[in-house]
Amino acid sequence: AHEAQKRADADLLVAPTFNIGMAQHHLDFPGTIALRPSTFMAAIGDWVRSLAHHGFAKLYFLNGHGGNVATIEAAFSELYAEASYAGRPAGFALKLRNWWDLKGVGALARQQFPAGHGSHATPSEIAVTQWAYPDAIKSANYAPQVAPTGPIREALDFRARDADGRMGSDPGQATPEKGGELVAQAVKGLIEDVAAFRAEAEPGVSMPRTVAVAPRIPSIRGTPVPSLRLRSELTGSGWKLPGRHLDVGFTPCDRAG
């Protein structure tokens, strides 16, 4: 993000970093500091509320840890739910992007590391770290060369399965030069992604004044299905429909999709 901010074609304001996230599964590695999901969600919520209070309408979260993803998405949902249940616009839009999912980054990493990339302690993230801190590069004796992989649960289970923290990876392939290439590609992808986010309609646009009500579903394959009738006053964005009702029918899903 800081590299992108240096570009003349990037209109970015980089906020302070959340340098502690949801990493409970790493707690059996000495020195790990982690936030439980509820704590992390609360912190993100107050972070967003604070910036929204100051007038920021679009907040872009650039993530660097896979363990954060589910919690950040849940925090976004909680923030939007506050507005939804209060019947008001949120006043802000949120976007999450993992740096490795930026345009072109994954393809470049696969080209650089066609085997042994894995999903944790990967050569791509190690290469980026080596590029950022060339005076702190260390070496290790990886055995086996490509680590096994498995599920992620609690800390004791993770340490037992992945004793050195690697998951399917061979970080010995990393070099600072490859890290620089990845950063350059990520910068391009980030600027493009932020521009697309900026181009979205401003959050809080008024809703239309018409309401479409789905017809009641009388049956499913010949079996009568009762409808759930919700009677209430619907309000929001300047319209009010006293006494109107919404009939909701339920139908099974034959397949996922």
Side-chain angles (χ1 to χ4, degrees):
H2 288 290
E3 289 299 307
Q5 191 178 32
K6 297 175 184 178
R7 292 268 297 264
D9 58 341
D11 183 14
L12 298 174
L13 178 61
V14 180
T17 302
F18 272 99
N19 52 15
I20 299 176
M22 209 302 291
Q24 58 79 21
H25 46 288
H26 293 323
L27 281 172
D28 213 40
F29 291 90
T32 298
I33 301 175
L35 299 180
R36 67 181 65 220
S38 56
T39 305
F40 194 25
M41 288 172 64
I44 291 172
D46 285 348
W47 189 280
V48 170
R49 294 183 193 96
S50 297
L51 292 173
H53 178 76
H54 298 304
F56 289 91
K58 291 186 178 180
L59 303 176
Y60 186 104
F61 283 70
L62 181 63
N63 178 51
H65 172 52
N68 290 337
V69 175
T71 303
I72 294 175
E73 292 284 13
F76 287 3
S77 293
E78 286 286 352
L79 286 160
Y80 289 136
E82 290 178 5
S84 297
Y85 285 111
R88 58 169 175 79
F92 53 78
L94 309 171
K95 185 178 181 66
L96 170 65
R97 182 71 74 192
N98 302 315
W99 77 268
W100 57 87
D101 289 330
L102 290 167
K103 184 177 179 180
V105 172
L108 176 58
R110 289 188 293 272
Q111 176 185 329
Q112 293 175 328
F113 314 108
H117 187 265
S119 59
H120 194 256
T122 64
S124 61
E125 61 185 342
I126 298 300
V128 168
T129 304
Q130 291 178 345
W131 171 84
Y133 303 99
D135 296 332
I137 297 176
K138 299 178 181 179
S139 60
N141 181 23
Y142 301 114
Q145 184 175 351
V146 177
T149 189
I152 298 177
R153 297 183 178 121
E154 81 282 4
L156 286 172
D157 182 77
F158 187 94
R159 188 64 192 264
R161 294 175 185 275
D162 309 294
D164 60 6
R166 296 181 298 146
M167 296 186 70
S169 65
D170 174 17
Q173 304 177 77
T175 67
E177 293 74 23
K178 291 178 180 178
E181 294 173 359
L182 287 163
V183 170
Q185 182 60 52
V187 165
K188 294 178 183 177
L190 177 60
I191 292 174
E192 182 177 325
D193 204 40
V194 170
F197 183 43
R198 185 186 297 113
E200 292 180 5
E202 288 296 318
V205 176
S206 297
M207 295 175 61
R209 293 177 180 271
T210 57
V211 180
V213 179
R216 185 179 302 181
I217 302 175
S219 65
I220 299 175
R221 295 175 181 171
T223 303
V225 177
S227 293
L228 175 63
R229 174 165 291 183
L230 307 176
R231 301 188 67 89
S232 64
E233 291 187 349
L234 306 178
T235 61
S237 301
W239 53 271
K240 186 174 183 179
L241 305 174
R244 296 296 294 273
H245 66 268
L246 173 65
D247 290 340
V248 182
F250 296 89
T251 182
C253 182
D254 292 330
R255 64 180 181 179

